[in-house]
Amino acid sequence: MLDDKLKDQLKAYLENVTQPVELVASLDDGAKSRELDELLREIESLSDKISLLRREDEDDDTHVRRPSFDIRRAGTDISVRFAGIPLGHEFTSLVLALLQVGGHPSKASREIIEQIEALDGDYHFETFFSLSCQNCPDVVQALNLMSVINPRIRHEAIDGALFQDEVEAKEIMAVPSVYLNGEPFTQGRMTLEDLVAKLDTGSEARDAEKMREKDPFDVLVVGGGPGGAASAIYAARKGIRTGVASERFGGQVMDTLGIENFISVPYTEGPKLAAALEEHVKEYGVDIMDRQRAEALIPAEEPGRPHEVRLANGASLKGRTVVLATGARWRSLGVPGEEEYRNKGVAYCPHCDGPLFKGKRVAVIGGGNSGVEAAIDLAGIVDHVTVLEFADKLGADAVLQKKLHSLPNVDVICSAQTTEITGDGSRVNGLDYKDRETGGMHHVELAGVFVQIGLLPNTEWLQGSVALSKYGEIEVDARGETSVPGVFAAGDATTVPYKQIVIAMGEGSKAALSAFDFLIRNSVSEEEDAAA
């Protein structure tokens, strides 16, 4: 099952296992059980500290999903559980689970480990994932680690595509979907810190108190995507005090699967790039304040005074200069049914949620590169894809259109204005669209709708503080400066055309250099004023 190169890599990792580990398999006579048995046998053969056991069919064991397996530290209650075969994006989760259960320390901070150890209560988590979901491993790995640190926490990661009857019964239409003690707990990507904060209700107040005590930064970056990360690195390299406040470090890159146009890197994936960005920023001692949502910018009332950024937790941060790099999010259709059926058939990530629609009919709204790429990917999973484009022709690159039109289970409808997403009260069952050429109304029966119609800047919180375009983008000059002296902006939230990772990085670097230049010039002016 594993090729020789992967076996060699895994064997090297498993040398870090210091405690005996038992793989306890729960199998049946199906093909997937045979595949899992083969995988577990291969893992067992790579380390003398790993042994494979077979769970016997006992009367009190009927609730166990099959195929599944425990990774258990021998003689203890420390374990994690996978229902399914954790390959694809979840292979890293499997490797980390083997290492952590086997005694290898995690990279989590001492502070977060102590928070997990202090959680009081019995927690049984179940996470439904898909192997093609790039957001799922973060949640799976975080909950696995929590169950290793605190024995009162248990976690089972479940491949939704393999247990579709259960997915249908629970009406799960988006991953990752997390259940706690049998009840829905959360959906979507969450970090270890996010999950702990959700359980430890006092953590937000403690974070706010710490932030109130921080001195003003020379450069305060708001946003942790490519633009914000580049700004932080370029500022910190100048030797000035730099901080980053981000709602989610990595930003929209975390929701991007394949990246093939990042110059000098033929292929990478969003979460991998985001992790590399964060590590690079940390090398310069930047104060990273993650899980912080900005709610207001209060410009300095007079020159020389710091600007203030108010956060949702009630704290405020100050900066002699500020770089706004809050990025953008997927644009919504704004039609009846969209919000009602969000995560109930309305989706925005085909890689994450596509496998949940295996064998069903879906639509993709949008004929740009994102929409056509989504349709191509979905066509290999679902029964049929209908692409609806508002304009009279697709806007995607020619190579993508050629591939799309070669697929037998895809229909393309142009000049189509989606007017409503319909459902039965619990899930999507179709959509209505208007033919913009004839005015005729049409209905398409569907199980899912994937919205891919561009981006909306995250700038609502800046209304009234800096000048925004009619599209809500932050207006910047050639130096990246906004309408407020000392406040700069970069990336997808600005009026700079072409929303691309490499452009956001360049603009973020420029904004930081402009901020540094602003600090130097104003320091000289202040010294001259003092001398006079």
Side-chain angles (χ1 to χ4, degrees):
M1 175 168 284
L2 302 177
D3 60 38
D4 290 340
K5 182 179 179 181
L6 201 55
K7 285 182 182 178
D8 289 341
Q9 291 174 339
L10 182 55
K11 184 175 182 178
Y13 283 127
L14 294 178
E15 290 177 1
N16 294 304
V17 172
T18 60
Q19 302 289 327
V21 173
E22 297 171 341
L23 304 178
V24 186
S26 300
L27 307 174
D28 54 24
D29 296 328
K32 288 297 180 181
S33 284
R34 291 193 292 273
E35 287 182 33
L36 178 58
D37 186 52
E38 179 184 353
L39 173 63
L40 297 180
R41 290 180 185 278
E42 288 180 352
I43 294 172
E44 181 189 32
S45 71
L46 299 176
S47 173
D48 58 5
K49 287 189 169 60
I50 297 177
S51 58
L52 176 60
L53 307 174
R54 177 74 180 263
R55 186 189 297 271
E56 297 298 327
D57 295 329
E58 300 173 354
D59 291 339
D60 62 352
D61 200 31
T62 57
H63 68 284
V64 174
R65 298 177 177 92
R66 301 172 189 277
S68 64
F69 65 101
D70 292 307
I71 303 175
R72 185 172 65 199
R73 186 178 299 174
T76 74
D77 293 330
I78 297 173
S79 69
V80 301
R81 186 171 183 78
F82 288 93
I85 306 173
L87 298 177
H89 285 294
E90 292 300 339
F91 184 70
T92 301
S93 302
L94 170 61
V95 174
L96 286 173
L98 288 165
L99 292 176
Q100 290 163 0
V101 172
H104 188 65
S106 79
K107 294 181 179 180
S109 69
R110 186 67 244 171
E111 181 181 11
I112 196 72
I113 289 174
E114 289 174 354
Q115 268 188 278
I116 295 168
E117 290 173 337
L119 288 173
D120 187 23
D122 294 308
Y123 304 94
H124 179 205
F125 288 100
E126 297 170 300
T127 301
F128 289 84
F129 66 85
S130 68
L131 294 177
S132 60
C133 169
Q134 73 270 25
N135 291 327
C136 294
D138 286 337
V139 175
V140 170
Q141 291 164 23
L143 289 170
N144 280 349
L145 177 58
M146 289 169 65
S147 69
V148 171
I149 293 172
N150 186 333
R152 296 183 69 181
I153 299 173
R154 292 179 296 145
H155 179 229
E156 182 170 5
I158 305 156
D159 182 355
L162 198 56
F163 294 90
Q164 267 199 310
D165 288 347
E166 192 170 352
V167 166
E168 291 283 342
K170 292 181 181 292
E171 297 186 344
I172 296 171
M173 306 191 77
V175 290
S177 285
V178 182
Y179 285 72
L180 172 56
N181 298 334
E183 298 296 328
F185 178 68
T186 189
Q187 278 189 329
R189 178 185 177 272
M190 295 184 78
T191 65
L192 175 63
E193 292 76 11
D194 293 330
L195 289 161
V196 174
K198 192 172 174 67
L199 295 172
D200 182 3
T201 55
S203 62
E204 185 175 9
R206 293 195 298 271
D207 287 346
E209 187 60 34
K210 291 178 184 177
M211 290 188 187
R212 292 188 186 98
E213 298 173 355
K214 293 181 184 290
D215 294 329
F217 294 94
D218 293 316
V219 177
L220 173 60
V221 181
V222 185
S231 291
I233 290 168
Y234 268 72
R237 282 175 61 86
K238 295 296 184 181
I240 57 181
R241 187 163 180 269
T242 305
V244 176
S246 63
E247 189 168 357
R248 181 178 67 152
F249 202 96
Q252 195 185 7
V253 166
M254 293 298 299
D255 302 324
T256 304
L257 184 58
I259 300 172
E260 299 177 334
N261 58 355
F262 189 58
I263 310 305
S264 85
V265 181
Y267 180 83
T268 188
E269 295 180 351
K272 183 178 179 180
L273 176 59
L277 288 174
E278 186 169 8
E279 286 303 311
H280 197 174
V281 172
K282 286 179 177 178
E283 284 185 8
Y284 291 97
V286 173
D287 189 347
I288 298 176
M289 298 157 282
D290 208 9
R291 297 183 295 109
Q292 303 303 325
R293 180 164 56 87
E295 286 200 333
L297 170 67
I298 313 299
E301 295 182 356
E302 56 186 65
R305 302 292 296 173
H307 305 285
E308 179 183 349
V309 175
R310 293 180 181 169
L311 305 174
N313 66 6
S316 290
L317 298 170
K318 294 182 179 180
R320 295 173 62 199
T321 62
V322 174
V323 176
L324 305 171
T326 49
R329 62 189 183 276
W330 290 116
R331 186 182 297 274
S332 297
L333 282 168
V335 301
E338 182 179 19
E339 285 301 317
E340 179 182 356
Y341 293 107
R342 186 182 292 263
N343 295 327
K344 298 177 182 178
V346 175
Y348 300 84
C349 179
H351 304 293
C352 300
D353 301 331
L356 300 177
F357 295 87
K358 182 179 180 180
K360 299 178 181 179
R361 301 177 69 87
V362 303
V364 173
I365 312 299
N369 282 348
S370 295
V372 171
E373 287 173 348
I376 292 170
D377 290 340
L378 288 166
I381 302 171
V382 305
D383 177 60
H384 186 272
V385 182
T386 301
V387 178
L388 293 97
E389 166 57 38
F390 184 84
D392 59 1
K393 60 181 180 180
L394 298 178
D397 294 343
V399 65
L400 293 175
Q401 292 194 43
K402 183 177 180 181
K403 173 64 175 177
L404 181 74
H405 290 302
S406 72
L407 300 173
N409 62 334
V410 176
D411 288 334
V412 177
I413 305 173
C414 293
S415 298
Q417 179 182 354
T418 303
T419 58
E420 183 176 0
I421 296 173
T422 63
D424 61 7
S426 61
R427 60 177 63 194
V428 166
N429 62 19
L431 64 77
D432 296 331
Y433 74 90
K434 177 182 177 181
D435 186 322
R436 296 178 58 243
E437 293 182 354
T438 67
M441 296 298 299
H442 303 273
H443 179 77
V444 182
E445 293 186 358
L446 304 160
V449 178
F450 290 82
V451 181
Q452 303 278 291
I453 57 171
L455 302 172
L456 192 66
N458 296 317
T459 58
E460 293 87 350
W461 66 285
L462 294 168
Q463 291 283 348
S465 59
V466 298
L468 303 177
S469 73
K470 64 180 180 179
Y471 301 110
E473 298 169 322
I474 305 167
E475 294 182 350
V476 293
D477 63 15
R479 296 166 52 82
E481 191 163 22
T482 71
S483 59
V484 176
V487 177
F488 302 83
D492 290 1
T494 72
T495 51
V496 172
Y498 311 119
K499 313 305 183 186
Q500 299 290 318
I501 293 170
V502 69
I503 292 175
M505 286 183 171
E507 291 296 312
S509 305
K510 180 171 68 176
L513 294 174
S514 297
F516 178 70
D517 183 67
F518 179 90
L519 290 170
I520 295 296
R521 291 177 183 275
N522 280 273
S523 295
V524 170
S525 298
E526 290 170 9
E527 290 172 3
E528 291 175 345
D529 290 342

